[in-house]
Amino acid sequence: MKILFEEIKEMLHLVTQAIYFYRKQNYIKGNIYTVELVKHGEDFFDYAIKIEFNESVELLFPIWKELLGASESGNEIYLADIYESRLMPALFEIQDYIINRLDGEPLLYWNDNMSLIKDKDIVLYNILEKAKESKKREYVFSWSCTGDAVLSVMTEHYGQVPLSSSINPWHEAVIYGDNLSNIQTGSCIIIGLGMGCHVNYIVSSSYFKNIIILENDLEQLRICMMYTNMKNILSDDRVKIVLCNKAGDYSKWLNGA
């Protein structure tokens, strides 16, 4: 089920990106993501059949035939409608089923993420290894409909406040990163890692020489390393995560140090 969880999440990311660019009438980009989606869909069907997850195949197959027909005919507007009204709700339903099945077997990425950090930044590795759960802020962890990790923070006056969408945080990441994707030189400084969606999109879609992530919340960073697959981010030589303990740590980087 973990393999299917990751595959459905990737498919939802690709569907989100395809819809976004089709709606902007950027059909070239939309079609690129459609080609990737079809490849992932084939992998999903092969694995789902192998483990006899027949309900998911029966749910998706009619939609899949329709979207393949729309893709082959070059009808991007209709294809975007299929994605939005039929494919995405079906993928949400499957992902919800998988998440509920995994409830007693949580998806943890700590060891894999920490192994990558150890090779890249031994100082940050040692800080995270020694970090204990902080009670400074009370965080509530959950999975979004896409399967991306999301956090809420408990506040005195407003109760539980989500830090991102609990439906599709990847859509927020695409909106955030789209205007940066065509920049091919210089550095990108991102204030706040969150649970990694926006950084992941920027890393995978941009051409910056360096991507610096400034984060001041050790507990949030620790939770992110626990529940988010950070391989794409941490294995990229352009990326550096900087833990900022005070305001001066921010100014150093924002002033071009």
Side-chain angles (χ1 to χ4, degrees), residues 64-111:
W64 206 255
K65 286 178 63 177
E66 191 172 353
L67 74 85
L68 288 177
S71 177
E72 289 170 5
S73 68
N75 192 339
E76 287 93 350
I77 300 300
Y78 180 45
L79 187 56
D81 288 341
I82 295 171
Y83 284 165
E84 203 161 27
S85 65
R86 299 190 61 203
L87 181 59
M88 187 167 280
L91 292 173
F92 280 163
E93 183 177 338
I94 295 169
Q95 192 70 305
D96 181 64
Y97 175 83
I98 293 172
I99 289 169
N100 288 329
R101 287 285 299 273
L102 290 170
D103 191 45
E105 186 185 5
L107 287 162
L108 301 179
Y109 301 96
W110 178 265
N111 289 337

Side-chain angles (χ1 to χ4, degrees), residues 115-131:
S115 178
L116 290 168
I117 292 175
K118 187 175 184 179
D119 292 338
K120 187 168 192 170
D121 188 338
I122 191 63
V123 174
L124 182 60
Y125 172 84
N126 288 331
I127 291 171
L128 283 167
E129 271 287 282
K130 295 174 183 176

